[in-house]
C-alpha cells in the first residue's frame, strides 16, 4: 500500500501568489555561457547504464568548457525526494519534482543531465511538456532486461527475484519504453559491435553539436566570460583552489 503524498500537492492556482520576473534573462545567461540550456533525460531499466553514460557525458562536456549539472535517481532520493517510495504515485511525484528542478537549471542556461528510471511515459511526457520540446532531450537506454539483470551492479535484481524487494522495475513493476525518444542507445551498434559508455556519450555529444546546443569548438582565446573560466578550469589553467585550512 502506497502512502503517497503526491495527491496532496497544490500548485499555485487558487493561492495568492504572483510570478516574479528575474532581472537577468535566460538568453543573457546563455550568451555569457556560450551554450544553450536543455535537459538530457536518461531513461531505462536499473542497470541499463544511465548513470555511467550521464557521468561520462558530463565529463566530456566539462572538458569542453560546458557548464552542466547532474541529477541521479539514487542521489536525489537521499535528499530532496527522501520521502518518496516506488509506488506509481511516488514515482510520478519524483519525476515531477526533478522536472521542476531541471527547469530551474535550464532557465539558468545550464545543461542538466537527469538519470532516472522514469518508467511511466506520462511522467516523462509531463516533463517534456513543462520544459518545451527544444529543452527536453530524451535518451532511451534500450538495454534488454536480461543484460541489466546479468550486470546487477547493486545486487537489486537478485533481491527482487528473491521477493525481498517488491515492485522492482522490470520484474514486478512496469517499464514503458519511450515511443519517440530523441536518442536511442543500444548495447550493440548496427554492425554488432558492443557500445561502450564513451561511444554512447559521443553519440549524445554529436546530437548536441548538430542541434545547436553547444558553441562550435573554437580557439580558447575566442571564448570569453564564464565560458572562458570553465574552459580554463577544464584545461587547468586556473590555479586549483586549496580548500584546506
Ligand atoms: N523498486 C525499485 N524499482 C526500481 N529501482 C529501485 C527500486 N528500489 C530501489 N531502487 C533503486 O532506486 C533507483 C531508481 O530511482 P529513480 O528515482 O530513478 O526511480 S523512478 O524514476 O522514480 O522510477 C535505482 O537506481 P538505478 O539502478 O540507477 O536505476 C535503484 O538503485
Ligand atoms: N555501455 C556499457 N557497456 C557495458 N557495461 C556498461 C555500460 N554502461 C554501463 N555499464 C555497466 O553497467 C552497470 C550498471 O550501470 P549504471 O550506470 O549504474 O546503470 P543505471 O544507472 O541505469 O542503473 C555498471 O556496472 C556499469 O559499469
Amino acid at each position: 500500500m502506497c502512502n503517497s503524498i503526491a495527491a496532496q500537492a497544490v500548485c499555485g492556482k487558487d493561492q495568492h501568489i504572483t510570478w516574479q520576473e528575474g532581472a537577468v534573462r535566460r538568453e543573457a545567461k546563455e550568451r555569457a555561457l556560450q551554450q544553450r540550456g536543455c535537459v538530457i533525460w536518461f531513461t531505462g531499466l536499473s542497470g541499463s547504464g544511465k548513470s555511467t553514460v550521464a557521468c561520462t557525458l558530463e565529463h566530456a562536456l566539462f572538458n569542453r568548457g560546458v557548464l552542466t549539472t547532474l541529477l541521479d535517481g539514487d542521489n536525489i532520493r537521499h535528499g530532496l525526494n527522501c520521502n518518496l517510495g516506488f509506488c506509481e504515485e511516488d514515482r510520478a511525484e519524483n519525476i515531477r519534482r526533478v522536472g521542476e528542478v531541471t527547469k530551474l537549471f535550464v532557465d539558468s542556461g545550464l545543461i542538466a543531465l537527469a538519470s532516472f528510471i522514469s518508467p511511466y511515459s506520462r511522467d516523462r511526457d509531463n516533463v517534456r511538456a513543462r520544459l518545451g520540446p527544444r529543452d527536453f532531450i530524451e535518451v532511451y537506454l534500450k538495454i534488454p532486461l536480461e543484460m541489466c539483470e546479468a550486470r546487477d551492479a547493486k545486487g537489486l535484481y537478485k533481491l527482487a527475484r528473491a521477493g525481498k524487494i517488491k515492485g522492482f522495475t522490470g520484474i514486478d513493476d512496469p517499464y514503458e519504453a519511450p515511443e519517440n525518444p530523441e536518442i536511442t542507445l543500444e548495447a550493440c551498434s548496427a554492425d554488432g559491435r558492443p557500445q561502450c559508455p564513451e561511444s554512447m556519450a559521443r553519440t549524445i555529444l554529436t546530437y548536441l553539436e548538430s542541434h545547436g546546443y553547444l558553441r562550435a569548438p573554437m580557439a580558447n582565446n575566442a571564448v570569453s566570460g564564464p565560458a572562458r573560466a570553465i574552459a580554463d578550469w577544464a584545461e587547468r589553467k586556473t590555479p586549483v583552489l586549496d580548500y584546506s585550512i
Side-chain angles (χ1 to χ4, degrees):
M1 182 65 184
C2 169
N3 295 316
S4 171
I5 60 157
Q8 300 165 22
V10 182
C11 293
K13 300 177 195 102
D14 304 330
Q15 296 185 75
H16 301 289
I17 53 176
T18 312
W19 186 260
Q20 172 66 53
E21 283 299 337
V24 184
R25 301 190 70 80
R26 168 179 172 175
E27 292 72 23
K29 294 177 185 178
E30 290 183 331
R31 257 199 313 279
L33 290 167
Q34 299 178 25
Q35 63 190 48
R36 195 195 141 85
C38 65
V39 56
I40 303 170
W41 191 279
F42 294 87
T43 175
L45 293 170
S46 175
S48 58
K50 302 181 296 297
S51 306
T52 306
V53 179
C55 287
T56 308
L57 177 64
E58 186 178 42
H59 195 213
L61 288 169
F62 179 77
N63 284 340
R64 285 187 51 149
V66 178
L67 191 54
T68 56
T69 190
L70 179 59
L71 303 168
D72 190 276
D74 272 321
N75 298 356
I76 295 292
R77 284 174 172 278
H78 276 87
L80 177 66
N81 290 348
C82 66
N83 60 339
L84 298 178
F86 289 91
C87 67
E88 186 173 347
E89 292 88 344
D90 281 5
R91 290 187 199 251
E93 176 62 6
N94 183 33
I95 299 313
R96 187 193 69 79
R97 288 184 198 170
V98 172
E100 291 297 324
V101 173
T102 60
K103 182 158 171 40
L104 295 175
F105 283 115
V106 171
D107 286 344
S108 295
L110 270 69
I111 294 186
L113 295 87
S115 165
F116 293 80
I117 295 178
S118 41
Y120 296 104
S121 304
R122 185 194 53 228
D123 299 339
R124 296 190 304 264
D125 291 346
N126 284 342
V127 178
R128 181 190 288 276
R130 182 85 176 104
L131 278 133
R134 187 130 158 75
D135 290 350
F136 185 85
I137 300 167
E138 191 170 36
V139 178
Y140 173 32
L141 270 294
K142 190 180 175 188
I143 310 298
L145 173 65
E146 305 71 53
M147 191 175 280
C148 298
E149 192 167 356
R151 290 175 179 170
D152 206 5
K154 301 177 210 159
L156 298 180
Y157 281 102
K158 200 166 171 220
L159 291 174
R161 288 288 185 198
K164 292 180 181 157
I165 303 179
K166 304 280 185 216
F168 196 79
T169 306
I171 304 298
D172 56 350
D173 225 44
Y175 178 79
E176 299 171 358
E179 282 181 9
N180 284 308
E182 278 69 18
I183 300 171
T184 300
L185 300 172
E186 299 197 53
C188 292
S189 59
D191 60 8
R193 276 181 305 142
Q195 291 297 292
C196 62
E198 288 74 18
S199 72
M200 290 179 167
R202 251 193 316 275
T203 300
I204 304 170
L205 205 51
T206 303
Y207 180 96
L208 294 175
E209 282 169 349
S210 60
H211 288 75
Y213 291 93
L214 307 178
R215 64 171 180 272
M218 52 183 155
N220 197 28
N221 59 9
V223 181
S224 60
R228 174 63 187 267
I230 299 163
D232 282 353
W233 177 270
E235 288 180 20
R236 299 290 185 273
K237 283 184 190 158
T238 306
V240 176
L241 296 175
D242 182 1
Y243 289 104
S244 60
I245 49 173

